[in-house]
Amino acid sequence: MSASQTSDVPTLLVKIFGKDRPGITAGLFDTLAAYSVDVVDIEQVVSRGRLVLCALVTEPTVAPQGELRATIHSWAESLKLQAEIISGTGDNRPRGEGRSHVTVLGNPLTAEQTAAIAARIAETGGNIDRIFRLAKYPVTAVEFAVSGCETEPLRTALAIEAHGIGVDVAVVSAGLHRRAQRLVVMDVDSTLIQDEVIELFAAHAGCEDKVAEVTAAAMRGELDFEQSLHARVELLAGLDASVVDKVRAEVRLTPGARTLIRTLKRLGYQVGVVSGGFTQVTDDLKERLGLDFASANTLEIVDGKLTGRVTGEIVDRAGKARLLRRFAAEAGVPLAQTVAIGDGANDLDMLNAAGLGVAFNAKPVVRQAAHTAVNVPFLDTVLYLLGITREEVEAADFGEDDLPH
């Protein structure tokens, strides 16, 4: 019987409660099979070892409804379960137009925060159809399936709420395209790695404070990036080229970076980096982490010394967005199915160009402009925004030796 054929026929909602164990679902449907019912819908949830199993079925055609009810209750009692059977008509009501996935990250996630998010969804006209926990570590990640309101106004409303209550919220439209996002492009400095690469070079040149001051102003959007890049690189003139190997050894990956990349790769994603830093570091990261794409500025080296200049195309704010588009074209991925991650003002064009722009521990101007923000120090939490569960992450960890270290 099709869904349309069940719209006005009598149906029964069979609900089973109790301690979970193998075989309960099979047992329920084996019992129902004797009455030649059709299955209209099924839902099952297990929380802390307690089962809630719901089956929406048509009325029996080979015996009275009362006999089916008695049989189900008897079967449930034999397994020390509780059963509830509710008569009705037809299927569940159709979900409203406009469907979104709302991912909430908390560390911890409190009841007060959850209440605030749920209330704001309702105020926006949305209905929560389903709630599912994606992860309990390193943060609590919960996904709400919401219908009845458009994605953009819901995203705006929840972004304001999330900022006020101290959680991270991502809102993306539902549909197959969510699972089809196959390219992730990241900024490097203070995103993929914990450092600002030019400051590592500056430390060897004895001008770290001067460079850090210019870097901070540029990242706040107070200085033109290209001008600040040239000004900082000039301070490195005369450094021996051997410093490149020293800086590579000093680079510290952000917690969760390896897990993020390893999981994405094993799930079929392509992964790239774009950086206002230098190819002398990003090329090494590409090889070490098994990245598909990498682009950055290049420090000029002549006669074994840094000249204080960069060569080639400048990777600035506009350049990062341009490279995202280039990588997407080379990967054969529509721009709408890309994910960009960054923290600074020079990442804004890239974040806005991507299908999903994620501000990672970002400056305020970036958090306000991006599609969503993550404010915990674990880069792999971005996986939860893509609907990837902790179980899938851990499955990827079993294959860790298959990827570069």
Side-chain angles (χ1 to χ4, degrees), residues 47-375:
S47 183
R48 213 177 66 179
R50 305 296 294 181
L51 168 80
V52 179
L53 170 60
C54 298
L56 185 63
V57 300
T58 57
E59 278 197 329
T61 58
V62 297
Q65 183 189 130
E67 182 180 325
L68 180 147
R69 288 173 173 268
T71 302
I72 293 297
H73 281 289
S74 177
W75 167 81
E77 289 172 6
S78 72
L79 295 176
K80 297 183 178 179
L81 301 170
Q82 292 179 286
E84 181 181 1
I85 304 171
I86 303 171
S87 298
T89 302
D91 198 350
N92 302 307
R93 65 179 178 83
R95 291 190 290 166
E97 293 295 322
R99 299 178 186 177
S100 305
H101 295 288
V102 176
T103 306
V104 182
L105 307 180
N107 191 24
L109 179 63
T110 68
E112 182 180 6
Q113 292 165 334
T114 305
I117 292 296
R120 186 55 65 97
I121 290 172
E123 290 169 7
T124 312
N127 183 72
I128 299 171
D129 301 316
R130 184 173 298 173
I131 304 174
F132 177 72
R133 187 179 71 180
L134 294 167
K136 61 180 179 181
Y137 172 83
V139 298
T140 300
V142 178
E143 181 175 288
F144 297 77
V146 177
S147 63
C149 60
E150 295 301 319
T151 298
E152 286 303 322
L154 180 62
R155 177 184 289 151
T156 300
L158 291 183
I160 296 170
E161 188 68 39
H163 179 72
I165 62 176
V167 297
D168 297 330
V169 175
V171 182
V172 297
S173 60
L176 291 176
H177 67 277
R178 188 188 188 205
R179 280 291 188 178
Q181 289 173 321
R182 293 299 180 191
L183 174 66
V184 176
V185 176
M186 289 175 277
D187 174 43
V188 175
D189 293 5
S190 299
T191 300
L192 178 63
I193 66 174
Q194 300 177 57
D195 313 283
E196 293 289 330
V197 167
I198 197 166
E199 293 179 10
L200 297 179
F201 278 100
H204 291 279
C207 58
E208 187 176 12
D209 291 344
K210 291 181 180 178
V211 166
E213 185 178 329
V214 179
T215 298
M219 296 299 282
R220 290 193 300 267
E222 298 171 3
L223 293 176
D224 172 79
F225 178 80
E226 184 171 350
Q227 291 177 336
S228 70
L229 174 67
H230 289 304
R232 290 174 291 177
V233 171
E234 284 177 7
L235 297 169
L236 307 181
L239 271 179
D240 192 89
S242 62
V243 76
V244 170
D245 289 334
K246 296 177 183 177
V247 167
R248 287 176 174 177
E250 292 167 351
V251 165
R252 301 167 300 162
L253 292 174
T254 297
R258 284 189 182 277
T259 301
L260 172 68
I261 294 169
R262 179 171 60 246
T263 304
L264 291 172
K265 295 291 289 180
R266 293 187 69 83
L267 292 176
Y269 283 66
Q270 296 187 61
V271 185
V273 293
V274 292
S275 176
F278 310 110
T279 57
Q280 282 83 357
V281 171
T282 58
D283 287 351
D284 180 61
L285 289 169
K286 181 181 179 183
E287 182 178 352
R288 285 168 52 196
L289 299 173
L291 302 173
D292 299 284
F293 305 98
S295 189
N297 300 299
T298 299
L299 292 169
E300 184 181 63
I301 298 176
V302 176
D303 297 329
K305 301 287 185 181
L306 273 65
T307 66
R309 296 187 293 271
V310 292
T311 62
E313 181 182 21
I314 296 297
V315 179
D316 56 7
R317 175 171 169 167
K320 288 187 174 185
R322 185 170 58 250
L323 286 163
L324 171 70
R325 294 186 177 93
R326 183 187 304 171
F327 294 168
E330 292 178 12
V333 173
L335 199 61
Q337 294 174 4
T338 62
V339 180
I341 310 168
D343 75 300
N346 64 335
D347 297 314
L348 277 173
D349 289 3
M350 175 178 72
L351 297 181
N352 289 329
L356 177 64
V358 181
F360 180 73
N361 291 311
K363 314 300 183 289
V365 65
V366 182
R367 289 200 304 269
Q368 293 167 11
H371 296 133
T372 188
V374 171
N375 296 298

